[in-house]
Amino acid sequence: ADAKLDAANANAIAVSSSYAGLTPNYVFGAVTTNQTISSAGHNTVVQMSSLDYNSDILTLNGTAGLDDGFIINVLGSFDFSQSQIRLNNVRPERVIFNFPNASNITVNKSSNIFKGTILAPTGNVIYHNPASFEGSIIALNIAVHSDFNLTQRSYCDGN
C-alpha cells in the first residue's frame, strides 16, 4: 500500500466546500451494493448520502482519451471493507471522495483496493491495512492502525 497522508488546512476546507457546491450529475442515497457510474462529461459530480461497502465493487467508467474525472461528494459516513474501486479510462488522481461534513470514514481490511483521494478536512479517517491504496488522504484526523509505506505529499496548500 502506498498512501499519502496529510493534515487538512484552510485551503483544503475551501476546496472541499467548493466541490460540495457543484451541481451533481448523479444523486444517490445510501449506497450499499455494487455500483457502476459512467462519465457524464469531463468532470462528473456524484452526490451520495453515505457509502457502506463490504465486499462490493465501485466501478468508475471514463471516456478513453478525455482524462475524465469524478468528484464524489459523500454527505455522511463511509465504510469501505474488503471492497474494490475499479477505474476504466480514469486515473486515480482524477478521483476525489469529498466529505464536506464532519464524517467518519473507515478504510478497512487487507483485501481492499482503493483508488483516489479522500478529502475530509473536517472528518475523521480510520485507515487499517488496505491491500492496495493508490491515492492520498487529506483529513482533520487520521488514525493509522497498521504499518504501510507512508509518504508525505503537499496538497491544497497553495505551494
Side-chain angles (χ1 to χ4, degrees):
D2 183 19
K4 300 163 178 60
L5 308 187
D6 281 303
N9 58 23
N11 281 345
I13 292 171
V15 168
S16 175
S17 178
S18 72
Y19 287 164
L22 296 173
T23 302
N25 300 101
Y26 299 99
V27 177
F28 301 104
V31 176
T32 59
T33 58
N34 292 343
Q35 180 74 52
T36 298
I37 304 170
S38 294
S39 171
H42 185 57
N43 288 305
T44 300
V45 180
V46 178
Q47 179 182 299
M48 60 181 67
S49 59
S50 64
L51 185 142
D52 187 350
Y53 262 24
N54 189 352
S55 304
D56 297 300
I57 299 169
L58 173 63
T59 304
L60 301 178
N61 291 321
T63 305
L66 291 187
D67 198 28
D68 286 336
F70 289 81
I71 295 172
I72 300 171
N73 289 314
V74 184
L75 304 182
S77 61
F78 184 90
D79 193 334
F80 194 80
S81 181
Q82 295 178 282
S83 297
Q84 293 183 41
I85 294 173
R86 291 184 183 165
L87 304 181
N88 297 322
N89 296 313
V90 181
R91 294 181 296 126
E93 54 270 26
R94 295 279 287 128
V95 177
I96 298 173
F97 292 87
N98 181 44
F99 298 87
N101 304 316
S103 299
N104 289 318
I105 299 127
T106 303
V107 180
N108 195 21
K109 303 291 184 196
S110 60
S111 55
N112 271 347
I113 299 173
F114 188 96
K115 297 178 181 180
T117 294
I118 292 173
L119 176 59
T122 59
N124 301 303
V125 176
I126 297 173
Y127 180 96
H128 188 272
N129 191 34
S132 174
F133 191 117
E134 291 180 51
S136 54
I137 299 172
I138 301 99
L140 180 64
N141 296 300
I142 304 170
V144 177
H145 286 275
S146 55
D147 295 328
F148 64 99
N149 297 329
L150 182 66
T151 55
Q152 290 294 325
R153 169 184 165 215
S154 108
Y155 182 89
C156 291
D157 61 4
N159 295 331

